[in-house]
Amino acid sequence: MTTSSESGAPEGGAEVIEALKPPVGEEALRHREVVEGEFWKRIPAYADVDTETFLSHTWQARNSINKPKKLLKTLQDMVPQSFYDDVAEGFRRAPMSVRVSPSLMSLINWNAAYEDPIRKQFIPVASRCLPDHPKLGLDSLGEQADAPVPGLTHRYHDKALFLPLNTCPVYCRFCTRSYAIGPNTDQVEKASLRVNKERWAKAFAYIQSRPELEDIVISGGDAYQLRPEQIEYIGMTLVEMPNIRRLRFATKGLAIMPQKVLSDPEWLDAITKVVERGRKLHKEVVIHTHFNHPDEFTWISREATNKLMERGIIVRNQAVLQRGVNDTVDTMSLLVRRLGYYNVQPYYVYTHDMVKGVEDLRTTVSTAIMLEKFVRGSTAGFNTPTFVCDAPGGGGKRDVHSFEHYDRVTGISVYTAPAVKPGQVFMYFDPIHLLPAEGRARWADPAQHELMVQEALDDARANAVG
Ligand SMILES: *Cc1c(COP(=O)(O)O)cnc(C)c1O
Ligand code: SF4
């Protein structure tokens, strides 16, 4: 240890403080820096788009990409023809419809389109597709099985998930609700969860009839797509129910089209009204959003979250852990710190649901455990997300660490959920291509499948508490 007399520095506290904590470089403050300026202008179709136009949510919606032809018109010669062909085939095979906002299009690095974390989430390319895991199903979370009314899932004791509609401002390739969200595709015919006042009325009647329900997640689809009067109608109906104490409007909008918060005052006022009514009634009304990568947060997101802060609206984030998107310590830490800095509380990071057609995006439970170790301690505890696995089959969200069994060779983890479905066990399966050779070999042999599952269940039952 260096003392001040040895180093010849003047006596005083400053020297001691410096010895304990060396000064930080710019690198350590990187989470504060976000994309500034007219970043969209490098996209050929947006070269002449001014800030006012780019901030218009109607312009964003009108110019969203939903067909390969429109992609070509937007990007022109930024990517080679081979890429367009790959995308066209990707569109044909995808279980989800495609819709990408200009806001997102402008954030993709088209010179490295295959590796780009935002491209990977929204634009399917056939050449990177991997076969689905043999244990994967279309409604992997069993949301329809736990639904007393179509579009209302009552799984947990005191909270329920209400899906008032089935459209979103963008469609994520990896959507858990590909069973219902968006128009039918070549691959999937969707369960119908359209805007329908009668279906809503049934959901409200059910919610009112269950005194244990205190907490409603209004998701979808995406609350961004609800008209202001619909936001108010749903929000006020629920917030006035004596049993209801907490409401969350779930929208990926803030992440993929923050423009709306700035250019659709009627929508924002409708949300604000519900929040304020809630405050009067001592009930919490918040927004839950969905940023997955730190680059998704631009100056426009900052303006939007500032506006929500000014109105006293709490925003929390639920991210999905995805391979090649946010599965490194560096990217996940940056995401968590950037969100926290701009008043978006990182709430959850989910291991990827077992969704069709996105095996390239899934990663392992062990990756989630590793990342959590590095993220925890890097910032405020209340801005540190819980890493969860939404247990396939309807077990609900479980802390990834709480498995009764986890075998990194077979990739099988087993969870129990004593407060949700006592006595049952739930399994999650790591993607096969990330397993060690021994595990891949066992999955290559169908005769081994049930054996692996049985081994996992036997071990889990021996360990399980509850
Ligand atoms: C995620 C979810 C909720 C809310 O759960 P929290 O852990 O409180 O965020 C409620 N119902 C269903 C069906 C869900 O999937
Ligand atoms: S915004 Fe949400 S509901 Fe809509 S496609 Fe994406 S993940 Fe699915």
Side-chain angles (χ1 to χ4, degrees):
M1 206 177 110
T2 312
T3 65
S4 56
S5 57
E6 272 168 3
S7 67
E11 297 280 337
E15 180 75 7
V16 174
I17 289 166
E18 199 171 309
L20 284 172
K21 276 264 184 232
V24 297
E26 270 172 34
E27 180 65 14
L29 307 177
R30 202 158 44 111
H31 59 284
R32 300 177 187 174
E33 306 295 327
V34 298
V35 176
E36 305 283 349
E38 298 181 314
F39 56 86
W40 55 89
K41 289 203 162 175
R42 60 195 180 83
I43 305 290
Y46 313 149
D48 299 322
V49 173
D50 60 19
T51 299
E52 195 190 341
T53 308
F54 196 76
L55 288 186
S56 149
H57 71 282
T58 49
W59 184 87
Q60 288 284 334
R62 254 199 328 276
N63 289 281
S64 290
I65 309 293
N66 55 2
K67 293 206 169 59
K69 246 192 358 225
K70 204 160 176 186
L71 187 74
L72 174 69
K73 232 174 106 191
T74 306
L75 295 178
Q76 298 165 21
D77 56 5
M78 277 192 109
V79 293
Q81 184 57 42
S82 58
F83 182 79
Y84 288 119
D85 296 342
D86 208 355
V87 170
E89 184 55 27
F91 271 53
R92 268 191 291 280
R93 291 195 204 166
M96 276 304 282
S97 308
V98 176
R99 184 188 276 172
V100 194
S101 61
S103 185
L104 284 175
M105 288 292 293
S106 311
L107 293 174
I108 295 172
N109 175 7
W110 293 102
N111 297 323
Y114 279 108
E115 300 318 314
D116 188 90
I118 298 172
R119 194 287 301 159
K120 283 181 184 173
Q121 297 177 64
F122 299 98
I123 302 178
V125 289
S127 65
R128 300 296 156 102
C129 271
L130 290 168
D132 286 336
H133 196 287
K135 294 288 176 190
L136 178 150
L138 189 55
D139 175 11
S140 89
L141 300 183
E143 288 185 340
Q144 293 177 100
D146 277 335
V149 174
L152 184 77
T153 298
H154 185 190
R155 165 169 309 146
Y156 300 96
H157 176 68
D158 72 350
K159 57 195 176 188
L161 169 69
F162 176 40
L163 310 176
L165 82 174
N166 65 349
T167 60
C168 305
V170 297
Y171 292 123
C172 313
R173 281 182 58 211
F174 51 90
C175 184
T176 277
R177 299 197 185 109
S178 53
Y179 70 84
I181 299 300
N184 293 337
T185 68
D186 290 354
Q187 303 298 323
V188 180
E189 196 159 323
K190 315 272 163 155
S192 180
L193 295 179
R194 267 186 279 274
V195 167
N196 175 330
K197 284 259 169 97
E198 274 166 45
R199 183 171 67 80
W200 292 2
K202 280 189 194 143
F204 297 150
Y206 177 86
I207 293 167
Q208 200 151 24
S209 76
R210 302 296 304 218
E212 77 272 34
L213 278 180
E214 297 176 353
D215 181 351
I216 307 296
V217 182
I218 303 157
S219 185
D222 193 300
Y224 245 42
Q225 299 295 98
L226 292 168
R227 291 198 305 274
E229 64 273 20
Q230 295 172 328
I231 293 273
E232 242 185 280
Y233 173 66
I234 293 172
M236 291 301 190
T237 304
L238 291 172
V239 87
E240 296 291 343
M241 289 183 189
N243 52 324
I244 295 305
R245 300 287 296 169
R246 298 177 290 281
L247 289 185
R248 329 174 199 175
F249 283 101
T251 172
K252 194 169 168 66
L254 269 187
I256 50 80
M257 207 192 279
Q259 287 83 356
K260 189 177 174 84
V261 173
L262 305 173
S263 62
D264 191 352
E266 289 82 14
W267 186 87
L268 184 58
D269 287 348
I271 291 270
T272 309
K273 259 192 207 160
V274 181
V275 171
E276 286 176 352
R277 180 68 190 143
R279 200 174 290 133
K280 284 253 157 54
L281 297 169
H282 313 124
K283 298 180 178 187
E284 185 190 72
V285 181
V286 304
I287 291 180
H288 278 204
T289 192
H290 179 183
F291 286 92
N292 283 340
H293 190 278
D295 289 354
E296 292 162 9
F297 201 100
T298 66
W299 70 266
I300 305 172
S301 327
R302 180 185 59 212
E303 298 299 308
T305 52
N306 283 350
K307 191 147 195 163
L308 295 169
M309 181 73 175
E310 284 163 23
R311 294 191 177 201
I313 303 177
I314 291 170
V315 184
R316 304 193 189 108
N317 191 67
Q318 306 188 183
V320 180
L321 176 58
Q322 295 176 321
R323 190 162 74 97
V325 174
N326 55 14
D327 62 340
T328 64
V329 169
D330 190 54
T331 307
M332 185 55 79
S333 304
L334 191 60
L335 174 67
V336 166
R337 300 195 61 206
R338 181 163 294 162
L339 292 174
Y341 189 78
Y342 289 110
N343 304 313
V344 177
Q345 301 172 351
Y347 174 39
Y348 280 145
V349 175
Y350 293 82
T351 54
H352 206 296
D353 288 334
M354 296 188 65
V355 176
K356 264 184 191 265
V358 290
E359 207 60 3
D360 56 312
L361 282 177
R362 291 206 305 128
T363 184
T364 60
V365 162
S366 60
T367 305
I369 291 172
M370 179 276 290
L371 290 173
E372 198 273 350
K373 196 173 291 184
F374 282 88
V375 168
R376 185 162 298 280
S378 70
T379 188
F382 52 77
N383 277 339
T384 303
T386 305
F387 285 67
V388 293
C389 174
D390 207 341
K397 298 162 190 75
R398 311 307 303 168
D399 183 322
V400 282
H401 301 86
S402 70
F403 52 77
E404 309 297 347
H405 163 92
Y406 180 38
D407 182 337
R408 289 165 199 240
V409 174
T410 63
I412 302 180
S413 44
V414 183
Y415 293 89
T416 54
V420 186
K421 303 254 167 88
Q424 291 189 36
V425 292
F426 302 90
M427 277 181 285
Y428 183 79
F429 300 86
D430 289 347
I432 291 169
H433 64 107
L434 296 181
L435 299 177
E438 186 193 337
R440 292 201 304 273
R442 291 193 74 183
W443 283 105
D445 174 9
Q448 288 282 319
H449 293 187
E450 284 321 302
L451 203 62
M452 284 187 277
V453 166
Q454 206 47 56
E455 285 166 14
L457 291 178
D458 289 346
D459 187 48
R461 290 221 170 84
N463 300 336
V465 199

